[in-house]
Structure formats: structure tokens, C-alpha cells
Amino acid sequence: KREAQTKAQSPKGLEPMASAISPEELVARIQLVVRQRRIRLSEFFLNFDRLGKKFCTAAQFRRALDMSGVVGGLEDVRGPGLGGRDHVEAALAELIDAYADPAHPGMVRYANFCAVVDEVFA
């Protein structure tokens, strides 16, 4: 009964940050967006990787996803665990951690991420 009172008092649509989706689930949702919109993510990372090293900074990773329209597209495929902008931000931070390059601190292996996302086109 106490839980029902707590839920009734909280604003509609807000979920605790602990319910953010896993990086794997976020990738699945990103795959839905890129498939629907026919987006090739790797094209948006090329501006940040002029030397062809296949990694970029975390900020560049976020910027490439923003430029591609994927982050905005996640609102169209929003489901359980991906509430408002704060939840998207938390999920993207976990995604960045999942593809972080251990050999290069602060860098993200975008090529590995793009390869996984592009499996939707195979």
C-alpha cells in the first residue's frame, strides 16, 4: 500500500535512475532507429577520426550519435526503462563505458559499436 502511495505522489512517467536499460538493450533500440531511418552510423564518426584509428573521444561519440539523429530517434522507440532525457543520458553513458578503449583512456571504439549496430542490415 505504501508503494502505491509513493507511485501516486511521483510525477507521471518518472522512473528511478537505477532502471536505466543495459547497453545491449540500448544497442537493440539504436538498431531499430538506424534500420527504420536507413542510417549508416560510421559515416558520422569519420569527421572525428581523420587518421583512421577507429576510435574517438566520448564527447565525439555522443556528438556523432546526436548528428545522426539516433538520440532523437530513441524517443520514437522508447519503452520500459528509457523514460525521459535523463534516462537516455544515463544509458548512453553506460554504452560509452561498454565500448571504451582500455588501451586509450577517454577513448571509445566506435568501429566496434558501428559493426554491432550494422548487423541489423545483414
Side-chain angles (χ1 to χ4, degrees), residues 39-85:
I39 299 171
R40 294 290 184 172
L41 285 179
S42 58
E43 296 173 13
F44 294 92
F45 289 98
L46 295 178
N47 291 333
F48 302 120
D49 187 20
R50 299 200 189 278
L51 298 177
K53 300 282 186 177
K54 305 299 182 197
F55 53 83
C56 62
T57 67
Q60 291 170 333
F61 186 86
R62 295 288 312 274
R63 208 167 309 133
L65 291 179
D66 282 336
M67 289 187 320
S68 69
V70 166
V71 174
L74 287 173
E75 294 177 7
D76 297 338
V77 294
R78 191 182 299 170
L82 194 59
R85 183 74 176 172

Short mmCIF file of all heavy atoms in Angstrom, two decimals, residues 39-85:
data_model
loop_
_atom_site.label_atom_id
_atom_site.label_comp_id
_atom_site.label_asym_id
_atom_site.label_seq_id
_atom_site.Cartn_x
_atom_site.Cartn_y
_atom_site.Cartn_z
N ILE A 39 20.17 4.61 -41.55
CA ILE A 39 21.32 5.41 -41.16
C ILE A 39 22.55 4.50 -41.07
O ILE A 39 22.50 3.45 -40.45
CB ILE A 39 21.09 6.06 -39.78
CG1 ILE A 39 19.88 6.99 -39.83
CG2 ILE A 39 22.32 6.81 -39.31
CD1 ILE A 39 19.46 7.50 -38.46
N ARG A 40 23.63 4.91 -41.68
CA ARG A 40 24.92 4.24 -41.53
C ARG A 40 25.74 5.08 -40.56
O ARG A 40 26.27 6.13 -40.91
CB ARG A 40 25.65 4.11 -42.86
CG ARG A 40 24.97 3.20 -43.84
CD ARG A 40 25.08 1.77 -43.39
NE ARG A 40 24.48 0.89 -44.40
CZ ARG A 40 24.57 -0.40 -44.35
NH1 ARG A 40 25.20 -1.00 -43.37
NH2 ARG A 40 24.00 -1.13 -45.29
N LEU A 41 25.82 4.64 -39.32
CA LEU A 41 26.45 5.42 -38.27
C LEU A 41 27.91 5.74 -38.53
O LEU A 41 28.39 6.81 -38.16
CB LEU A 41 26.32 4.70 -36.92
CG LEU A 41 24.95 4.74 -36.28
CD1 LEU A 41 24.97 3.96 -34.97
CD2 LEU A 41 24.52 6.16 -36.02
N SER A 42 28.62 4.83 -39.14
CA SER A 42 30.07 5.03 -39.34
C SER A 42 30.37 6.33 -40.09
O SER A 42 31.40 6.97 -39.84
CB SER A 42 30.68 3.85 -40.07
OG SER A 42 30.05 3.65 -41.31
N GLU A 43 29.47 6.75 -40.96
CA GLU A 43 29.68 7.99 -41.70
C GLU A 43 29.76 9.22 -40.79
O GLU A 43 30.43 10.19 -41.11
CB GLU A 43 28.57 8.18 -42.73
CG GLU A 43 28.56 7.10 -43.79
CD GLU A 43 27.36 7.20 -44.72
OE1 GLU A 43 26.67 8.24 -44.70
OE2 GLU A 43 27.13 6.23 -45.45
N PHE A 44 29.07 9.17 -39.66
CA PHE A 44 29.04 10.30 -38.75
C PHE A 44 30.27 10.34 -37.85
O PHE A 44 30.54 11.37 -37.22
CB PHE A 44 27.76 10.27 -37.90
CG PHE A 44 26.53 10.49 -38.73
CD1 PHE A 44 25.83 9.41 -39.26
CD2 PHE A 44 26.09 11.77 -39.00
CE1 PHE A 44 24.72 9.62 -40.04
CE2 PHE A 44 24.98 11.98 -39.79
CZ PHE A 44 24.28 10.90 -40.31
N PHE A 45 31.02 9.26 -37.79
CA PHE A 45 32.23 9.23 -36.98
C PHE A 45 33.48 9.61 -37.77
O PHE A 45 34.50 9.94 -37.19
CB PHE A 45 32.43 7.83 -36.37
CG PHE A 45 31.44 7.50 -35.30
CD1 PHE A 45 30.32 6.75 -35.58
CD2 PHE A 45 31.62 7.96 -34.01
CE1 PHE A 45 29.40 6.43 -34.59
CE2 PHE A 45 30.71 7.66 -33.01
CZ PHE A 45 29.60 6.90 -33.30
N LEU A 46 33.40 9.57 -39.09
CA LEU A 46 34.58 9.82 -39.92
C LEU A 46 35.17 11.21 -39.70
O LEU A 46 36.40 11.37 -39.78
CB LEU A 46 34.24 9.59 -41.39
CG LEU A 46 33.86 8.16 -41.76
CD1 LEU A 46 33.50 8.07 -43.23
CD2 LEU A 46 34.98 7.20 -41.40
N ASN A 47 34.35 12.22 -39.46
CA ASN A 47 34.86 13.57 -39.22
C ASN A 47 35.74 13.64 -37.98
O ASN A 47 36.60 14.51 -37.87
CB ASN A 47 33.71 14.57 -39.06
CG ASN A 47 32.96 14.80 -40.34
OD1 ASN A 47 33.51 14.65 -41.42
ND2 ASN A 47 31.69 15.15 -40.22
N PHE A 48 35.52 12.73 -37.04
CA PHE A 48 36.27 12.73 -35.79
C PHE A 48 37.47 11.79 -35.81
O PHE A 48 38.22 11.72 -34.84
CB PHE A 48 35.35 12.34 -34.63
CG PHE A 48 34.17 13.24 -34.48
CD1 PHE A 48 32.88 12.73 -34.59
CD2 PHE A 48 34.32 14.59 -34.26
CE1 PHE A 48 31.78 13.55 -34.45
CE2 PHE A 48 33.22 15.43 -34.12
CZ PHE A 48 31.95 14.90 -34.22
N ASP A 49 37.65 11.07 -36.89
CA ASP A 49 38.72 10.07 -36.99
C ASP A 49 39.49 10.25 -38.29
O ASP A 49 39.51 9.37 -39.14
CB ASP A 49 38.13 8.66 -36.89
CG ASP A 49 39.19 7.59 -36.80
OD1 ASP A 49 40.34 7.91 -36.45
OD2 ASP A 49 38.87 6.43 -37.10
N ARG A 50 40.13 11.38 -38.42
CA ARG A 50 40.85 11.70 -39.66
C ARG A 50 42.05 10.78 -39.91
O ARG A 50 42.47 10.61 -41.04
CB ARG A 50 41.28 13.15 -39.65
CG ARG A 50 40.09 14.09 -39.57
CD ARG A 50 40.44 15.48 -40.05
NE ARG A 50 39.38 16.43 -39.79
CZ ARG A 50 38.32 16.60 -40.56
NH1 ARG A 50 38.15 15.87 -41.63
NH2 ARG A 50 37.41 17.50 -40.24
N LEU A 51 42.58 10.17 -38.84
CA LEU A 51 43.73 9.28 -39.00
C LEU A 51 43.33 7.82 -39.16
O LEU A 51 44.17 6.95 -39.34
CB LEU A 51 44.68 9.42 -37.81
CG LEU A 51 45.29 10.81 -37.62
CD1 LEU A 51 46.16 10.84 -36.37
CD2 LEU A 51 46.11 11.20 -38.85
N GLY A 52 42.03 7.52 -39.08
CA GLY A 52 41.55 6.16 -39.28
C GLY A 52 41.90 5.19 -38.17
O GLY A 52 42.07 4.00 -38.41
N LYS A 53 42.00 5.67 -36.95
CA LYS A 53 42.36 4.82 -35.81
C LYS A 53 41.18 4.00 -35.28
O LYS A 53 41.35 3.14 -34.45
CB LYS A 53 42.92 5.67 -34.66
CG LYS A 53 44.14 6.46 -35.02
CD LYS A 53 45.34 5.57 -35.03
CE LYS A 53 46.59 6.42 -35.24
NZ LYS A 53 47.79 5.64 -35.18
N LYS A 54 39.97 4.30 -35.71
CA LYS A 54 38.74 3.57 -35.34
C LYS A 54 38.31 3.82 -33.90
O LYS A 54 37.61 3.00 -33.33
CB LYS A 54 38.87 2.07 -35.60
CG LYS A 54 39.25 1.73 -37.02
CD LYS A 54 38.22 2.20 -38.00
CE LYS A 54 38.61 1.79 -39.41
NZ LYS A 54 37.90 2.52 -40.41
N PHE A 55 38.75 4.94 -33.30
CA PHE A 55 38.22 5.34 -32.02
C PHE A 55 38.17 6.85 -31.95
O PHE A 55 38.79 7.55 -32.75
CB PHE A 55 38.99 4.74 -30.83
CG PHE A 55 40.47 4.95 -30.83
CD1 PHE A 55 41.03 6.13 -30.36
CD2 PHE A 55 41.32 3.96 -31.26
CE1 PHE A 55 42.39 6.32 -30.34
CE2 PHE A 55 42.70 4.13 -31.25
CZ PHE A 55 43.24 5.33 -30.78
N CYS A 56 37.35 7.37 -31.02
CA CYS A 56 37.17 8.80 -30.85
C CYS A 56 36.93 9.08 -29.36
O CYS A 56 36.79 8.15 -28.57
CB CYS A 56 35.99 9.30 -31.69
SG CYS A 56 34.41 8.57 -31.23
N THR A 57 36.88 10.35 -28.99
CA THR A 57 36.63 10.67 -27.60
C THR A 57 35.16 10.39 -27.26
O THR A 57 34.32 10.27 -28.16
CB THR A 57 36.92 12.16 -27.29
OG1 THR A 57 35.97 12.96 -27.99
CG2 THR A 57 38.34 12.54 -27.69
N ALA A 58 34.88 10.32 -25.98
CA ALA A 58 33.49 10.09 -25.55
C ALA A 58 32.59 11.23 -26.01
O ALA A 58 31.46 10.99 -26.46
CB ALA A 58 33.44 9.93 -24.03
N ALA A 59 33.09 12.46 -25.95
CA ALA A 59 32.28 13.61 -26.39
C ALA A 59 32.01 13.53 -27.90
O ALA A 59 30.90 13.83 -28.35
CB ALA A 59 33.00 14.91 -26.05
N GLN A 60 33.00 13.11 -28.67
CA GLN A 60 32.80 12.96 -30.11
C GLN A 60 31.83 11.82 -30.42
O GLN A 60 31.03 11.92 -31.36
CB GLN A 60 34.14 12.70 -30.80
CG GLN A 60 35.06 13.91 -30.77
CD GLN A 60 36.47 13.59 -31.22
OE1 GLN A 60 36.93 12.45 -31.10
NE2 GLN A 60 37.17 14.59 -31.72
N PHE A 61 31.88 10.77 -29.64
CA PHE A 61 30.95 9.65 -29.79
C PHE A 61 29.52 10.15 -29.60
O PHE A 61 28.65 9.88 -30.42
CB PHE A 61 31.29 8.56 -28.77
CG PHE A 61 30.50 7.30 -28.92
CD1 PHE A 61 30.91 6.30 -29.79
CD2 PHE A 61 29.34 7.09 -28.18
CE1 PHE A 61 30.19 5.12 -29.92
CE2 PHE A 61 28.62 5.92 -28.30
CZ PHE A 61 29.04 4.94 -29.17
N ARG A 62 29.30 10.91 -28.54
CA ARG A 62 27.96 11.46 -28.26
C ARG A 62 27.53 12.41 -29.37
O ARG A 62 26.39 12.39 -29.82
CB ARG A 62 27.98 12.23 -26.93
CG ARG A 62 28.24 11.40 -25.70
CD ARG A 62 27.05 10.55 -25.37
NE ARG A 62 25.83 11.32 -25.39
CZ ARG A 62 25.35 12.01 -24.38
NH1 ARG A 62 25.96 11.98 -23.24
NH2 ARG A 62 24.26 12.70 -24.51
N ARG A 63 28.46 13.24 -29.83
CA ARG A 63 28.14 14.20 -30.88
C ARG A 63 27.77 13.49 -32.17
O ARG A 63 26.82 13.90 -32.86
CB ARG A 63 29.34 15.13 -31.11
CG ARG A 63 28.93 16.48 -31.62
CD ARG A 63 30.03 17.52 -31.57
NE ARG A 63 30.64 17.59 -30.25
CZ ARG A 63 31.96 17.60 -30.04
NH1 ARG A 63 32.81 17.54 -31.04
NH2 ARG A 63 32.45 17.67 -28.81
N ALA A 64 28.48 12.44 -32.52
CA ALA A 64 28.16 11.68 -33.74
C ALA A 64 26.77 11.06 -33.65
O ALA A 64 26.01 11.08 -34.62
CB ALA A 64 29.22 10.61 -33.98
N LEU A 65 26.43 10.53 -32.49
CA LEU A 65 25.09 9.95 -32.31
C LEU A 65 24.02 11.04 -32.40
O LEU A 65 22.96 10.82 -32.98
CB LEU A 65 24.99 9.21 -30.98
CG LEU A 65 25.78 7.92 -30.87
CD1 LEU A 65 25.61 7.30 -29.49
CD2 LEU A 65 25.39 6.94 -31.96
N ASP A 66 24.31 12.21 -31.85
CA ASP A 66 23.37 13.33 -31.95
C ASP A 66 23.19 13.76 -33.40
O ASP A 66 22.07 13.96 -33.87
CB ASP A 66 23.83 14.52 -31.11
CG ASP A 66 23.56 14.34 -29.63
OD1 ASP A 66 22.66 13.57 -29.27
OD2 ASP A 66 24.26 15.01 -28.83
N MET A 67 24.31 13.91 -34.12
CA MET A 67 24.25 14.36 -35.52
C MET A 67 23.51 13.36 -36.40
O MET A 67 22.82 13.75 -37.34
CB MET A 67 25.66 14.59 -36.08
CG MET A 67 26.36 15.79 -35.50
SD MET A 67 27.95 16.19 -36.28
CE MET A 67 28.73 14.64 -36.54
N SER A 68 23.64 12.09 -36.08
CA SER A 68 22.99 11.06 -36.90
C SER A 68 21.48 11.03 -36.70
O SER A 68 20.76 10.47 -37.50
CB SER A 68 23.57 9.69 -36.57
OG SER A 68 23.17 9.28 -35.27
N GLY A 69 21.02 11.62 -35.60
CA GLY A 69 19.59 11.61 -35.30
C GLY A 69 19.16 10.41 -34.47
O GLY A 69 17.98 10.25 -34.18
N VAL A 70 20.11 9.59 -34.08
CA VAL A 70 19.79 8.39 -33.31
C VAL A 70 19.24 8.74 -31.93
O VAL A 70 18.26 8.15 -31.48
CB VAL A 70 21.03 7.47 -33.19
CG1 VAL A 70 20.83 6.41 -32.14
CG2 VAL A 70 21.32 6.84 -34.54
N VAL A 71 19.86 9.71 -31.27
CA VAL A 71 19.42 10.06 -29.92
C VAL A 71 17.98 10.57 -29.96
O VAL A 71 17.14 10.16 -29.16
CB VAL A 71 20.36 11.10 -29.27
CG1 VAL A 71 19.81 11.57 -27.93
CG2 VAL A 71 21.75 10.51 -29.09
N GLY A 72 17.66 11.42 -30.91
CA GLY A 72 16.29 11.88 -31.06
C GLY A 72 15.35 10.76 -31.48
O GLY A 72 14.20 10.72 -31.06
N GLY A 73 15.86 9.83 -32.27
CA GLY A 73 15.05 8.71 -32.72
C GLY A 73 14.72 7.73 -31.61
O GLY A 73 13.76 6.98 -31.69
N LEU A 74 15.52 7.74 -30.55
CA LEU A 74 15.25 6.85 -29.42
C LEU A 74 13.92 7.20 -28.76
O LEU A 74 13.29 6.34 -28.16
CB LEU A 74 16.38 6.92 -28.40
CG LEU A 74 17.68 6.24 -28.80
CD1 LEU A 74 18.76 6.53 -27.78
CD2 LEU A 74 17.48 4.75 -28.98
N GLU A 75 13.50 8.44 -28.90
CA GLU A 75 12.20 8.83 -28.34
C GLU A 75 11.07 8.09 -29.04
O GLU A 75 10.05 7.80 -28.44
CB GLU A 75 12.01 10.33 -28.46
CG GLU A 75 12.98 11.12 -27.60
CD GLU A 75 12.83 12.62 -27.77
OE1 GLU A 75 11.89 13.05 -28.46
OE2 GLU A 75 13.66 13.34 -27.23
N ASP A 76 11.25 7.75 -30.31
CA ASP A 76 10.23 7.03 -31.07
C ASP A 76 10.13 5.57 -30.65
O ASP A 76 9.07 4.96 -30.78
CB ASP A 76 10.52 7.10 -32.57
CG ASP A 76 10.47 8.52 -33.11
OD1 ASP A 76 9.84 9.38 -32.47
OD2 ASP A 76 11.10 8.77 -34.16
N VAL A 77 11.23 5.00 -30.18
CA VAL A 77 11.24 3.59 -29.80
C VAL A 77 11.38 3.45 -28.29
O VAL A 77 11.80 2.41 -27.80
CB VAL A 77 12.36 2.80 -30.52
CG1 VAL A 77 12.10 2.75 -32.00
CG2 VAL A 77 13.73 3.36 -30.21
N ARG A 78 11.03 4.48 -27.58
CA ARG A 78 11.15 4.46 -26.11
C ARG A 78 10.24 3.38 -25.56
O ARG A 78 9.13 3.19 -26.00
CB ARG A 78 10.75 5.82 -25.55
CG ARG A 78 11.09 5.96 -24.09
CD ARG A 78 10.65 7.27 -23.56
NE ARG A 78 11.33 8.35 -24.25
CZ ARG A 78 10.99 9.62 -24.12
NH1 ARG A 78 9.99 9.96 -23.36
NH2 ARG A 78 11.65 10.54 -24.76
N GLY A 79 10.74 2.65 -24.62
CA GLY A 79 9.97 1.58 -23.99
C GLY A 79 10.30 1.51 -22.52
O GLY A 79 10.83 2.47 -21.97
N PRO A 80 10.04 0.41 -21.89
CA PRO A 80 10.33 0.27 -20.48
C PRO A 80 11.81 0.52 -20.19
O PRO A 80 12.67 0.02 -20.90
CB PRO A 80 9.97 -1.18 -20.16
CG PRO A 80 9.06 -1.60 -21.25
CD PRO A 80 9.44 -0.79 -22.46
N GLY A 81 12.09 1.32 -19.18
CA GLY A 81 13.46 1.58 -18.78
C GLY A 81 14.09 2.78 -19.45
O GLY A 81 15.17 3.19 -19.09
N LEU A 82 13.45 3.35 -20.44
CA LEU A 82 14.02 4.50 -21.14
C LEU A 82 12.99 5.61 -21.11
O LEU A 82 12.29 5.86 -22.07
CB LEU A 82 14.39 4.13 -22.58
CG LEU A 82 15.28 5.11 -23.33
CD1 LEU A 82 16.61 5.27 -22.60
CD2 LEU A 82 15.55 4.62 -24.73
N GLY A 83 12.92 6.27 -19.96
CA GLY A 83 11.92 7.31 -19.74
C GLY A 83 12.29 8.61 -20.43
O GLY A 83 12.24 8.73 -21.64
N GLY A 84 12.70 9.59 -19.66
CA GLY A 84 13.00 10.91 -20.19
C GLY A 84 14.45 11.06 -20.62
O GLY A 84 15.20 10.09 -20.73
N ARG A 85 14.83 12.28 -20.85
CA ARG A 85 16.18 12.60 -21.32
C ARG A 85 17.26 12.12 -20.34
O ARG A 85 18.32 11.67 -20.75
CB ARG A 85 16.27 14.12 -21.55
CG ARG A 85 17.58 14.60 -22.09
CD ARG A 85 17.71 14.24 -23.55
NE ARG A 85 18.94 14.79 -24.07
CZ ARG A 85 19.40 14.53 -25.27
NH1 ARG A 85 18.70 13.77 -26.07
NH2 ARG A 85 20.51 15.04 -25.68
#
